[in-house]
Amino acid sequence: GIDEGGYAMLLDRLLEDPSKLKDAVDDYVNFLTDEGFLKYVAQRAQDEGDEQRKAQLGELIGHIQNAMKERLERARDRLRYILEGGDLQEMQKRLKKSINGGEIDSAFMVLLAYNIEEASKAGQDTAKNVLTHLQTIILQAVDETLPPAIRLLRMLLRLDCDGARKEMLRSKLVLTPDGSKTAAQAGTENDYGVPDVDPSEMLDAIRDVEQEISGLDEQYAGDMAARVASIKADLQSIMMEEADSFIKGIQEGGK
């Protein structure tokens, strides 16, 4: 996520030419769907003593709200189009077409998550399951574009069971005593596919996420931080077990 320093830089960029605020919002619309940024601008407007600057900030807020509204309306139209496919197979086909066409954005994901939550509250299990399935397809499509370590970390963070997380982690790590990073030398394909993640790259990915969530309020980062800490502990445990096994093998071979 963007921190307050990032918000300040983005705001300065948007206000470079006060006569072209709407154009600036259109250029940076992909970065403006964060409610945190809107709250930041609103606070800056409230604290601003210069009336001209305050007016510019107020105008900027209006343009951002309009842009977010337009994106949400497009997301509603896109979700309606997908769900009108009727059966699950047609819905999947329409969703994948939308993904390939670049029509799934953060506004769509927010809307989808909202609908899943509402279906859950209403006890509409069928609707919840269908929407969750569509969400999973999107997340998997995003995962496929990422480096192996980041892809694996995202998958692990979506698992609720600690035991299942450790099993998947062990199955995807490239564990070779000589330090080789090639999957071919790491073993054959297993239930989770071919091992393709170097442990050091996995640790780097974990540290990046730890740094990213360190600035978040505990109420937002609590569960995420706990899961990341659990995955890191699992990684360290697996590496210790592998080291012990390797040393034991050398010792037994020397007898």
Side-chain angles (χ1 to χ4, degrees):
I2 304 177
D3 58 17
E4 188 164 315
Y7 287 154
M9 291 176 62
L10 180 55
L11 180 58
D12 287 343
R13 187 67 60 85
L14 291 169
L15 292 173
E16 278 181 356
D17 186 347
S19 67
K20 297 181 179 179
L21 287 179
K22 186 178 185 306
D23 291 339
V25 168
D26 290 340
D27 289 341
Y28 288 91
V29 68
N30 288 332
F31 300 96
L32 303 179
T33 54
D34 180 0
E35 285 287 345
F37 178 68
L38 196 58
K39 291 177 182 178
Y40 172 79
V41 178
Q43 186 62 52
R44 284 283 298 269
Q46 183 177 327
D47 298 339
E48 182 60 56
D50 183 276
E51 290 303 318
Q52 184 178 6
R53 188 70 159 185
K54 185 187 286 286
Q56 291 170 355
L57 290 169
E59 183 184 349
L60 179 62
I61 289 171
H63 288 313
I64 293 174
Q65 289 174 330
N66 287 336
M68 293 174 70
K69 181 180 178 182
E70 289 173 5
R71 283 168 67 92
L72 193 57
E73 287 174 352
R74 287 199 299 269
R76 286 196 184 100
D77 290 341
R78 179 58 45 184
L79 182 58
R80 186 180 303 111
Y81 161 75
I82 292 168
L83 295 178
E84 285 175 351
D87 63 85
L88 190 57
Q89 186 174 359
E90 179 61 24
M91 283 189 238
Q92 291 177 166
K93 181 179 177 181
R94 292 188 178 196
L95 175 59
K96 289 177 181 178
K97 180 180 178 181
S98 298
I99 293 172
N100 294 335
E103 295 165 314
I104 303 300
D105 58 12
S106 56
F108 183 92
M109 295 303 291
V110 169
L111 179 65
L112 187 57
Y114 173 79
N115 278 275
I116 290 172
E117 184 178 352
E118 289 300 298
S120 179
K121 288 179 181 178
Q124 299 173 340
D125 292 339
T126 300
K128 175 189 172 184
N129 292 339
V130 168
L131 293 169
T132 301
H133 179 67
L134 298 179
Q135 184 185 56
T136 299
I137 291 175
I138 297 170
L139 294 174
Q140 288 174 342
V142 173
D143 288 347
E144 290 172 3
T145 68
L146 299 172
I150 298 176
R151 180 169 65 242
L152 176 58
L153 182 55
R154 284 168 55 91
M155 292 166 62
L156 293 170
L157 288 171
R158 294 200 290 266
L159 287 177
D160 293 324
C161 176
D162 290 345
R165 280 203 294 265
K166 186 171 183 178
E167 180 184 355
M168 177 183 285
L169 177 59
R170 183 189 295 277
S171 298
K172 292 295 291 179
L173 289 175
V174 176
L175 300 170
T176 52
D178 63 358
S180 167
K181 297 182 181 180
T182 60
Q185 292 171 300
T188 57
E189 184 172 358
N190 55 54
D191 291 343
Y192 298 97
V194 176
D196 60 355
V197 178
D198 179 71
S200 64
E201 293 173 359
M202 188 68 193
L203 184 57
D204 287 342
I206 291 171
R207 286 171 176 164
D208 286 344
V209 173
E210 284 179 328
Q211 185 174 2
E212 185 175 337
I213 64 178
S214 63
L216 297 177
D217 291 340
E218 187 175 346
Q219 61 177 338
Y220 300 117
D223 181 59
M224 173 72 80
R227 292 192 183 209
V228 172
S230 175
I231 293 168
K232 186 175 184 180
D234 285 342
L235 176 61
Q236 292 169 336
S237 172
I238 291 169
M239 297 313 298
M240 287 295 293
E241 291 167 9
E242 287 298 315
D244 290 343
S245 176
F246 181 54
I247 292 171
K248 183 178 179 181
I250 292 177
Q251 291 172 340
E252 292 180 349
K255 292 180 180 178

